[in-house]
Amino acid sequence: MDLSIPAAQLMGFTLALVRTTAWVTICPPFNSPAIPRRVRVGFAGAVSLLVAARFTAVFEVDVGLGEFVVILLGQMIAGLALGFFVFILFAAIQSAGELIDLQVGFALGAVLDPLTGTAAAPIGRLHQLLAVTVLFAIDGHTLVVRGYLRSVEAMPVASVDLGRIADELLGLFSAFFIAAIEIGLPVLAALFLAEIALGLLGKAAPQMNILILGFAAKSFIAVGLLAMMVVAMPDSVDSLLMRSLRAAGRAFGG
């Protein structure tokens, strides 16, 4: 028995696989090294099978090799851009924790994070893990997948508008930078007041070791106020996720 696969369907699946693989490579939480590589490859292949039909129509007419390569590169850029819209969300939340680490002094004790392969301070890493946990708790991972599927429906093989994507990413980046400051603002404000109090204490009692006392006091304040941030984390993640998906929808015409 001969098994034949139509060339149009094969090339359509190839485009879908390139776009989906690029998206999975950068989009949290699917890009985490904690997820086995085989699982990520299988997930990308399964999603590609779902959307491959959207890419097959372009090959109903003859497409040259050069044009196919251009379309392939466009799909890779589209997948990376879609993943980056969600990646910025987690970067903003982790940045809020890293601002606290910098203020307390925990940034000096940053250690190698085995999941990302980069140096990470404790509170920043805690914020990232909490964001991933909240994302699954609010069913946000299914929203991310649905957002990707809608982007394929809105712009399957059409040329990627890099200008519009850049504008949306720039606006999202500035908004998330402000959000990072807002998320860490309660703890940062308390630490700032603690700095003022320690400065006055050092002026009133010069014989005290303000350096050691200050580190202990700021650590106690930061850990004590983290409970406030944990309570507000679900609303923050939900709000930022919706903003990311809306920006991705505008960038891809969805």
Side-chain angles (χ1 to χ4, degrees), residues 175-241:
F176 280 4
F177 178 76
I178 297 173
I181 298 177
E182 291 177 347
I183 291 173
L185 187 59
V187 181
L188 293 174
L191 291 174
F192 178 72
L193 294 177
E195 289 279 4
I196 295 176
L198 289 170
L200 295 175
L201 182 61
K203 189 69 173 178
Q207 69 276 12
M208 296 183 63
N209 193 335
I210 298 300
L211 180 63
I212 301 301
L213 179 63
F215 180 78
K218 289 189 291 184
S219 299
F220 179 79
I221 293 173
V223 174
L225 292 179
L226 279 178
M228 297 173 54
M229 303 184 66
V230 172
V231 172
M233 187 67 72
D235 292 335
S236 299
V237 173
D238 182 64
S239 175
L240 294 177
L241 178 61

Side-chain angles (χ1 to χ4, degrees), residues 15 24 28 32 35 82-83 88 98 105 143-144 153 173 175 186 199 236-237:
L15 291 180
V24 170
S32 174
I35 302 176
L82 283 166
I88 296 179
E98 290 176 349
L143 293 177
V144 173
E153 295 176 359
F173 181 80
S236 299
V237 173

Side-chain angles (χ1 to χ4, degrees), residues 50-142:
L50 291 176
V51 301
R54 295 281 180 177
F55 296 86
T56 304
V58 73
F59 299 107
E60 294 178 356
V61 297
D62 293 336
V63 175
L65 178 60
E67 186 177 355
F68 177 74
V69 172
V70 172
I71 296 174
L72 202 65
L73 291 175
Q75 296 308 308
M76 183 178 65
I77 294 173
L80 292 174
L82 283 166
F84 199 70
F85 276 103
V86 183
F87 179 83
I88 296 179
L89 181 157
F90 287 87
I93 295 176
Q94 185 173 359
S95 297
E98 290 176 349
L99 288 174
I100 299 174
D101 284 317
L102 183 63
Q103 187 70 18
V104 177
F106 289 162
L108 298 175
V111 296
L112 180 66
D113 181 7
L115 295 181
T116 61
T118 59
I123 298 181
R125 181 59 181 154
L126 175 63
H127 276 63
Q128 185 184 30
L129 292 176
L130 285 175
V132 174
T133 303
V134 171
L135 184 72
F136 282 103
I138 65 175
D139 210 23
H141 57 292
T142 60

